[in-house]
Amino acid sequence: MFDKTKKETEKKPSAPKATAPAASKSAPASNSGQTTTIGSSIKLNGELNGDEDLLIQGQVEGNVYLKEHNLTIGEQGVIKANAFARTITVRGRLTGDLNGMEKVTITSTGKVRGNIVSPKVILEEGATFKGSIDMDAKAAKPASQPAPPSAKSA
Amino acid sequence: MALFAKPKTPGIAPVQSQSGELGCPAFASLVETLEREPEHKYHILDLAAASGNHIEFFSRFRCRYHIGDVLHVLPDLSPPEEDEPALDFGRILPLNMPDRLDLILAWDGLNYLDKALLPQFSQHLVRQCNPGAWLHAFIYTRGEMAAQPVQFEVLSSNAMRRQAATGSTVGAPCYPQRVLEKLMPGFRTAQSRLLKNGLQECLFQVQE
């Protein structure tokens, strides 16, 4: 689906004319299958809704809904968004609320300002985090998932 | 040899090690109390910077864990002059969460706040607490302390490890228990234990 995102992104006048691929299939960052990458030269505004794993190396403003899949904010990723995914790994910068149904990890290079809801939160040494963490397993169950948007925009 | 040993300089208290393991019986009893109500959702404020160790330890509870990240600021705060407005702790430590707090982890932070500011800081915390909420802290009772608040690592419910960032030290305020209670209106001492290393482990409770 993010191949589609790529095409839509390239049609947007606000999107930079990227010489690098906007979104590309890359080596999986997790063990759940395909991972789509949003490259470092890409800026997205709006909501992302997907059914596969996603690695963001670019800049995203809006909300990200990946349901049962894994979201990784790469070291170059700068995100101002609320994110909902099965697992969320932050290696870059994120401002917003994170809802990880299984786990949220902020690695040593990650900087997060916002609130986290997840039954398991891992903060590696060197990680920066400001906000609160709701470690109530009940709070992160799918029942509390916000209704995903009917259409996505990039 | 002992006959020729130099006597210790009178009036200078021995420098305590600012690192190492320590027991924390009051913390252990607090954890035990929290564990009695596994269904209760606790709201916890950690005054230290975000620590994976602290978060991992408290993940055993249903809780919302707020990172205050204010300890490094406390040593630099000074009371305002007469013609200056009072310090706004609401800006230094915003506590605008919808739920009231059940537990505040102050670690050794209270030692670093100017004595004149302790009552105001205490009142700021109490306003956001549930009646009966806990505040856990370590107070230096003698000699010197690390120049900055040290990092505490929870090893288990009854053991912690503290690690000073540097070797530099400053004089500790060494508050007697009664004085400290007067400086913290709204809190009463629920437990107080003098540990082997000269630290006083204190468990305060918001008066109901």
Side-chain angles (χ1 to χ4, degrees), chain B residues 105-117:
Chain B
L105 301 163
W107 312 106
D108 65 348
L110 300 181
N111 301 277
Y112 292 88
L113 189 59
D114 191 287
K115 186 178 178 180
L117 294 174

Side-chain angles (χ1 to χ4, degrees), chain B residues 76-82 84-87 113-118 120:
Chain B
D76 299 328
L77 300 178
S78 51
E81 300 292 330
E82 276 185 18
E84 289 178 341
L87 272 186
L113 189 59
D114 191 287
K115 186 178 178 180
L117 294 174
L118 256 175
Q120 195 189 338

Side-chain angles (χ1 to χ4, degrees), chain A residues 97 115-117 119-125 127-139, chain B residues 39 41 49-56 58-69 72 151:
Chain A
D97 294 340
N115 301 310
I116 297 174
V117 180
K120 188 171 175 68
V121 177
I122 298 171
L123 242 75
E124 292 183 1
E125 198 166 338
T128 305
F129 173 68
K130 283 237 182 187
S132 71
I133 300 170
D134 196 327
M135 292 185 279
D136 181 359
K138 291 175 184 172
Chain B
E39 285 304 306
K41 185 167 181 175
S51 156
N53 167 265
H54 298 173
I55 291 163
E56 187 181 352
F58 282 96
S59 66
R60 68 183 64 189
F61 301 108
R62 283 190 69 206
C63 71
R64 190 166 188 99
Y65 198 87
H66 302 268
I67 309 294
D69 193 8
H72 62 290
Q151 189 178 344

Side-chain angles (χ1 to χ4, degrees), chain A residues 13-49:
Chain A
S14 59
K17 288 180 182 176
T19 50
S24 60
K25 301 289 183 186
S26 66
S30 70
N31 57 6
S32 64
Q34 285 188 316
T35 298
T36 297
T37 300
I38 294 178
S40 59
S41 67
I42 302 304
K43 292 181 182 177
L44 290 174
N45 285 293
E47 293 189 332
L48 286 171
N49 183 17

Side-chain angles (χ1 to χ4, degrees), chain B residues 33-188:
Chain B
T33 303
L34 300 180
E35 283 175 339
R36 278 189 211 126
E37 290 188 68
E39 285 304 306
H40 185 86
K41 185 167 181 175
Y42 295 102
H43 291 263
I44 301 170
L45 171 65
D46 187 342
L47 296 185
S51 156
N53 167 265
H54 298 173
I55 291 163
E56 187 181 352
F57 182 83
F58 282 96
S59 66
R60 68 183 64 189
F61 301 108
R62 283 190 69 206
C63 71
R64 190 166 188 99
Y65 198 87
H66 302 268
I67 309 294
D69 193 8
V70 76
L71 291 187
H72 62 290
V73 177
L74 299 183
D76 299 328
L77 300 178
S78 51
E81 300 292 330
E82 276 185 18
D83 54 344
E84 289 178 341
L87 272 186
D88 183 0
F89 277 106
R91 291 184 65 183
I92 297 163
L93 177 62
L95 298 175
N96 43 18
M97 60 281 279
D99 300 291
R100 292 188 173 274
L101 298 167
D102 301 297
L103 170 62
I104 297 167
L105 301 163
W107 312 106
D108 65 348
L110 300 181
N111 301 277
Y112 292 88
L113 189 59
D114 191 287
K115 186 178 178 180
L117 294 174
L118 256 175
Q120 195 189 338
F121 184 62
S122 175
Q123 285 164 346
H124 176 61
L125 295 176
V126 166
R127 274 195 289 271
Q128 193 60 36
C129 284
N130 278 318
W134 307 91
L135 185 147
H136 181 258
F138 293 101
I139 305 296
Y140 294 94
T141 61
R142 62 176 193 240
E144 300 200 320
M145 61 184 188
Q148 289 285 324
V150 306
Q151 189 178 344
F152 283 80
E153 183 185 353
V154 184
L155 303 175
S156 69
S157 61
N158 50 26
M160 293 190 189
R161 182 185 293 128
R162 60 193 180 126
Q163 182 65 51
T166 65
S168 57
T169 57
V170 293
C174 305
Y175 298 120
Q177 193 66 45
R178 281 184 181 179
V179 173
L180 191 59
E181 265 198 356
K182 282 184 180 172
L183 292 171
M184 296 180 63
F187 287 102
R188 67 172 182 83

